[in-house]
Amino acid sequence: MSNKTNLVARYSASERINHWLVAITFVMLAFSGLALFHPAFFFLTNLFGGGSWTRILHPFIGVVMFVSFLGLIAKFIGQNHITKADLEWQKHLGDIMANKAKNLPEIGKYNIGQKYLFWSLVVIIPLLMLSGFIIWRPYFALYFPVDIIRVAVLVHAVAAFLAIMTIIVHVYAAIWTKGSIRAMTRGTVTTAWARHHHPAWYKEISRENKL
Amino acid sequence: MALQSLDILRRSATTTPSPGVRQTTEVAKLIDVSKCIGCKACQSACMEWNDIRDEIGSNAGIYDNPRDLSADSWTVMRFSEVEVEKDKLEWLIRKDGCMHCADPGCLKACPAPGAIIQYSNGIVDFHEENCIGCGYCIAGCPFNVPRISKKDNKAYKCTLCSDRVGVGMEPACIKSCPTGALVFGTKEDMIQHAEERIVDLKERGFSNAGLYDPQGVGGTHVMYVLHHADQPELYHGLPKDPSISPMVTLWKGITKPLMSLGIGLGVLVGFFHYIKVGPNEVEEESESEQQ
Ligand code: HEM
Ligand code: SF4
Ligand code: SF4
């Protein structure tokens, strides 16, 4: 992108497609999973063609999400190592949340909240895949003893809860931080956004003349 | 069973009361293991009444036939050769199947509204038309009873002939038993009958004879008279003190409402944070300032 338009590139088309594949399948998994999680959510089975279809589809969608998520890990892991500046930035979190932050340390492409999101999902999603695999009927559950299935179903429910909470924070952060969503829809952010939220990243891409 | 049921005590995945104005007396099947000769008439009667035929299997060199409970075989005789006293072989034959627990783990685990019903007479019944085939009931059951059919992916098990009992008949297996090892009646009567049998067995030298009505699952509506009630494991691994696994209680207990609340709160906190502090915007000036 040229400076004229005041935009900088943040995500390539393949990164965006990959992100939305994970996002769409995640939402489908959360809805179909919650449907079986508690009677209060059972009505969600209507979105998937009834109870049996919900039960059938959920794990297959899970596999699609897991494979897509591996792609996201490969694409984003390089930028997600936690740095000294991140830890310094974290100390200002209260001010940041209150929209009162000043003189923040210069951070790179991701802030520490985004990095926590990344690493949480790196742990939780394989856990969901593994536990989901163990309780997957009629194909795989029959190969596991009932004690293992009982642990797996509990792990799956708790991990799903954690994943959903993490994603609620993620989605809210994107809504709250104006100018973020276009990064994943259009691939670009404004230079002001980049300088303000991710100054070290902005400097780096300026240096590399990637604007 | 789609009978007009006004006597429902509990219904799976349902948080409001089910139709329950009709009060029925608690029933029980009593299986007197000491009288069972292993003829499998009850297995045949079960097949006939429910009109289900399992696939013909192969002989595994033991009397257990079929080898295990299945979606098509809701009761199976389990044969165990044991020596409680040295050099004194005993052949213990236990009719296996659903115990119709007062506190049914299957029902607690089931996510599908109305797929599992507990009537006030104590019968725990699967309503397959509401079953989604998730298999949670298998994880919930302390007795390893429910089986999912390979044909339709629905869970099946003994109904205690709820369709017969509902119209005042006794279960089909009871009708067929030639030795009187199977009896059926009110739970109270069955306990009393068992006690008489236990006195008799004790007189005959089975000093540990007793009733199997495990309180860990609130008691059951299928009970056993055992000659070795102190060692129920002898009878093909009948659990000594069964209860719903703590894993299942943790999974299905208070954690779920709490987690559901957590999800709702998470969304609300976000919303009100936005309402309170507004969006995190990059002001236009900062753009020109820094340029
Ligand atoms: C990654 C691969 C995944 C696989 C293979 C998988 C598999 C399963 C299976 C087999 C079940 C049992 C019901 C059924 O058969 O449909 C289940 C339940 C569930 N899944 Fe997943 N799942 C995966 C990912 C997820 C994700 C990402 C979420 C949340 C966002 C999720 C949330 C749930 C929930 C809430 C339940 C209900 C658990 C309960 O009843 O306690 N799953 N999953
Ligand atoms: S398999 Fe059917 S009966 Fe068993 S828990 Fe799932 S929905 Fe309920
Ligand atoms: S024995 Fe198993 S299937 Fe039968 S009522 Fe108890 S928990 Fe349910």
Side-chain angles (χ1 to χ4, degrees):
Chain A
M1 286 303 136
S2 79
N3 249 335
K4 250 187 283 172
T5 55
N6 273 333
L7 293 174
V8 283
R10 190 160 163 88
Y11 291 115
S12 70
S14 84
E15 285 169 330
R16 279 175 277 150
I17 291 171
N18 197 333
H19 170 271
W20 287 112
L21 255 179
V22 173
I24 292 168
T25 47
F26 186 94
V27 171
M28 292 174 83
L29 284 162
F31 283 1
S32 55
L34 282 176
L36 309 186
F37 183 82
H38 189 275
F41 305 117
F42 193 77
F43 72 97
L44 291 167
T45 53
N46 292 323
L47 299 175
F48 300 88
S52 292
W53 272 116
T54 306
R55 184 266 305 166
I56 294 166
L57 291 174
H58 177 94
F60 287 103
I61 304 170
V63 171
V64 176
M65 189 207 59
F66 180 73
V67 173
S68 318
F69 185 68
L70 292 182
L72 272 197
I73 297 184
K75 290 184 174 80
F76 295 162
I77 198 165
Q79 306 270 14
N80 272 288
H81 300 296
I82 292 171
T83 64
K84 276 222 181 77
D86 288 328
L87 295 171
E88 200 47 46
W89 188 91
Q90 188 177 8
K91 291 184 186 149
H92 299 267
L93 199 63
D95 282 346
I96 296 167
M97 293 298 293
N99 266 342
K100 285 190 224 146
K102 286 202 185 73
N103 305 322
L104 290 175
E106 301 211 334
I107 53 163
K109 185 162 184 180
Y110 296 113
N111 66 42
I112 197 157
Q114 293 168 303
K115 290 177 181 177
Y116 284 147
L117 166 85
F118 178 83
W119 292 111
S120 308
L121 292 181
V122 163
V123 174
I124 296 171
I125 287 180
L127 208 59
L128 281 166
M129 182 70 224
L130 188 73
S131 56
F133 176 76
I134 294 172
I135 59 174
W136 191 345
R137 285 182 201 274
Y139 310 115
F140 305 108
L142 66 167
Y143 299 111
F144 296 94
V146 69
D147 298 315
I148 304 284
I149 290 177
R150 284 174 184 151
V151 175
V153 79
L154 176 65
V155 166
H156 198 79
V158 174
F161 165 71
L162 294 175
I164 291 169
M165 291 305 280
T166 311
I167 291 303
I168 288 174
V169 175
H170 172 63
V171 170
Y172 178 66
I175 295 172
W176 180 57
T177 314
K178 293 296 162 202
S180 300
I181 291 175
R182 63 168 301 144
M184 263 309 162
T185 53
R186 312 278 297 276
T188 54
V189 289
T190 63
T191 46
W193 185 96
R195 266 203 310 265
H196 181 80
H197 293 296
H198 302 280
W201 171 65
Y202 181 73
K203 279 185 186 155
E204 186 193 323
I205 52 176
S206 312
R207 235 190 351 264
E208 292 170 9
N209 218 354
K210 282 203 202 145
L211 292 182
Chain B
M1 269 299 107
L3 292 172
Q4 166 72 305
S5 303
L6 304 179
D7 52 348
I8 297 175
L9 191 63
R10 264 191 280 203
R11 193 175 178 269
S12 56
T14 304
T15 42
T16 52
S18 302
V21 288
R22 184 184 293 147
Q23 279 303 311
T24 51
T25 33
E26 268 186 73
V27 295
K29 165 160 72 181
L30 184 68
I31 303 172
D32 186 344
V33 174
S34 69
K35 276 191 182 174
C36 175
I37 55 172
C39 69
K40 300 176 184 162
C42 53
Q43 280 183 211
S44 304
C46 181
M47 288 165 61
E48 279 198 18
W49 174 257
N50 295 298
D51 203 5
I52 300 171
R53 301 291 181 275
D54 208 340
E55 266 172 45
I56 295 174
S58 50
N59 190 315
I62 51 170
Y63 275 78
D64 302 38
N65 176 20
R67 275 306 296 277
D68 194 7
L69 295 169
S70 76
D72 301 313
S73 297
W74 299 347
T75 186
V76 165
M77 312 312 293
R78 308 283 201 179
F79 294 77
S80 311
E81 291 167 33
V82 298
E83 282 182 26
V84 180
E85 277 170 56
K86 208 174 163 348
D87 293 331
K88 192 167 165 258
L89 180 72
E90 284 183 60
W91 207 20
L92 306 178
I93 308 163
R94 174 168 71 88
K95 172 178 153 65
D96 195 6
C98 175
M99 299 295 287
H100 297 272
C101 311
D103 186 17
C106 57
L107 190 150
K108 290 233 163 120
C110 177
I116 304 183
I117 300 282
Q118 184 181 36
Y119 297 106
S120 60
N121 66 7
I123 295 180
V124 177
D125 212 359
F126 284 13
H127 286 199
E128 280 78 11
E129 71 270 27
N130 296 327
C131 170
I132 65 169
C134 63
Y136 287 5
C137 48
I138 299 174
C141 174
F143 293 97
N144 182 24
V145 166
R147 297 288 187 274
I148 292 191
S149 164
K150 290 192 172 62
K151 291 176 208 133
D152 58 17
N153 284 311
K154 306 287 176 201
Y156 292 91
K157 69 161 190 69
C158 158
T159 66
L160 204 63
C161 284
S162 57
D163 48 351
R164 293 172 57 91
V165 174
V167 294
M169 296 196 285
E170 57 185 9
C173 54
I174 311 289
K175 272 237 152 335
S176 71
C177 179
T179 66
L182 301 182
V183 276
F184 181 81
T186 66
K187 175 142 182 177
E188 213 184 326
D189 286 352
M190 291 305 103
I191 291 175
Q192 201 190 335
H193 182 75
E195 273 160 8
E196 287 162 18
R197 284 294 304 145
I198 290 159
V199 171
D200 186 44
L201 282 168
K202 285 192 171 159
E203 274 168 13
R204 289 156 183 259
F206 292 104
S207 57
N208 291 317
L211 177 67
Y212 187 81
D213 177 25
Q215 294 307 307
V217 292
T220 52
H221 296 89
V222 169
M223 305 183 293
Y224 292 108
V225 170
L226 303 176
H227 352 45
H228 308 289
D230 56 327
Q231 300 176 69
E233 303 91 339
L234 294 176
Y235 301 82
H236 198 275
L238 185 63
K240 180 156 186 143
D241 193 11
S243 64
I244 298 177
S245 154
M247 283 293 156
V248 174
T249 311
L250 206 59
W251 165 47
K252 282 284 169 174
I254 189 71
T255 27
K256 285 227 166 144
L258 282 184
M259 288 194 279
S260 307
L261 200 70
I263 292 172
L265 274 181
V267 174
L268 276 183
V269 166
F271 178 75
F272 283 112
H273 177 260
Y274 196 94
I275 296 299
K276 176 154 182 265
V277 308
N280 179 354
E281 277 173 314
V282 185
E283 287 146 32
E284 284 303 314
E285 304 99 273
S286 76
E287 200 158 331
S288 43
E289 248 172 53
Q290 290 184 21
Q291 208 111 48

